[in-house]
Amino acid sequence: MDQVKRITNIASRKENKFFYFDIETSGFDGNKDFVDEISFIRPSTGKAEKISMFIGDVSFPQNVADLRNLTKEDVNDIKFNTNGSRVSVKEGISKFLRIMQEEKNKFGDDLVITGHNIEKFDIDFLSKNSKLLGLNFSFNHNTLDTLELAKTVYGNSLPNNKLSTLYEYLTGKKADNAHDSINDILFNKAVLEKTSGRIKTIDSFYELKKLI
């Protein structure tokens, strides 16, 4: 994770170009489980996009299926591409990394890769999957993790800092179908838009005290 570059002056940056992303996986260990869905909003288009992948005949625990509200048919599609609309994991990750780099080429250091718990989970998981598949995972982007942002801004004022909890608290809307990567990036975008306005300092949000 030493390649992650946290932005340290979100409030004073005039041209943040946020690239939202979220992954869904067959488990929690990137050394043996696989990513099967990557959704993202790139700043050049502002549209939600999704890359769906099939993972083959590997373990897909029932607790993961339950967490993601997946049916047996959904799991079979994730494993075997029964609907014919998925690409291989290697192809999917390669495409996503290529898109991120294209956005970096357009926006330079104004590009900020954004997501909820991306520093400890999503980026690390993609890195480990890439190694398993023989891909060169190069991640040298500014990042803003909204989980860390929420911890700093809201502290213990909420029951937890789950994305769905934050979304419902900040928007007053129900976070339906959480753990669907498309929905999660839309929730994340709303959370960041509501939260970043509360930061009234040019210092790092990692050093902020809870705002009242």
Side-chain angles (χ1 to χ4, degrees):
M1 296 300 294
D2 56 348
Q3 293 172 301
V4 169
K5 299 187 298 181
R6 290 173 170 174
I7 64 170
T8 58
N9 55 345
I10 179 176
S12 65
R13 291 168 60 94
K14 296 180 179 179
E15 295 296 336
N16 289 315
K17 300 294 183 181
F18 293 114
F19 185 115
Y20 300 88
F21 90 97
D22 181 73
I23 67 173
E24 298 297 338
T25 65
S26 63
F28 307 103
D29 185 351
N31 290 312
K32 64 182 182 67
D33 301 313
F34 288 95
V35 59
D36 60 77
E37 201 172 87
I38 307 174
S39 289
F40 54 94
I41 301 174
R42 48 178 136 180
S44 63
T45 67
K47 297 179 180 179
E49 304 174 60
K50 180 165 69 174
I51 301 171
S52 298
M53 292 153 277
F54 65 92
I55 63 176
D57 193 12
V58 298
S59 174
F60 201 111
Q62 187 60 46
N63 67 310
V64 176
D66 292 342
L67 177 68
R68 295 174 55 186
N69 296 311
L70 299 175
T71 66
K72 290 182 179 179
E73 289 75 16
D74 293 330
V75 173
N76 280 336
D77 183 42
I78 290 170
K79 284 187 171 185
F80 306 116
N81 195 24
T82 54
N83 291 331
S85 60
R86 296 176 178 269
V87 299
S88 70
V89 177
K90 187 172 185 177
E91 183 179 349
I93 293 177
S94 296
K95 180 179 180 180
F96 177 66
L97 294 178
R98 185 169 62 251
I99 289 170
M100 271 202 304
Q101 188 57 51
E102 288 171 354
E103 296 297 286
K104 178 67 175 290
N105 293 342
K106 291 177 182 176
F107 299 113
D109 280 342
D110 288 334
L111 186 73
V112 181
I113 308 301
T114 306
H116 203 71
N117 200 27
I118 58 170
E119 291 184 2
K120 293 182 178 179
F121 184 72
D122 301 65
I123 296 170
D124 184 62
F125 198 101
L126 289 175
S127 176
K128 289 174 178 176
N129 265 200
S130 296
K131 185 176 181 180
L132 285 177
L133 297 167
L135 291 172
N136 178 28
F137 184 84
S138 178
F139 189 96
N140 189 28
H141 304 285
N142 293 321
T143 65
L144 193 162
D145 192 322
T146 53
L147 175 59
E148 300 302 323
L149 178 62
K151 287 178 181 178
T152 303
V153 174
Y154 301 108
N156 296 320
S157 62
L158 298 177
N160 57 63
N161 288 301
K162 292 179 180 179
L163 182 58
S164 57
T165 301
L166 289 163
Y167 176 80
E168 291 180 353
Y169 171 74
L170 291 168
T171 68
K173 300 176 182 178
K174 182 72 173 174
D176 293 324
N177 296 318
H179 297 291
D180 171 275
S181 60
I182 282 283
N183 287 334
D184 283 354
I185 58 171
L186 296 175
F187 296 161
N188 189 253
K189 185 173 185 290
V191 166
L192 180 58
E193 288 172 348
K194 294 286 188 180
T195 302
S196 60
R198 297 187 61 176
I199 299 176
K200 305 182 187 304
T201 174
I202 63 172
D203 295 328
S204 168
F205 69 75
Y206 294 94
E207 300 170 356
L208 284 173
K209 294 182 180 179
K210 177 184 171 186
L211 298 179
I212 304 301

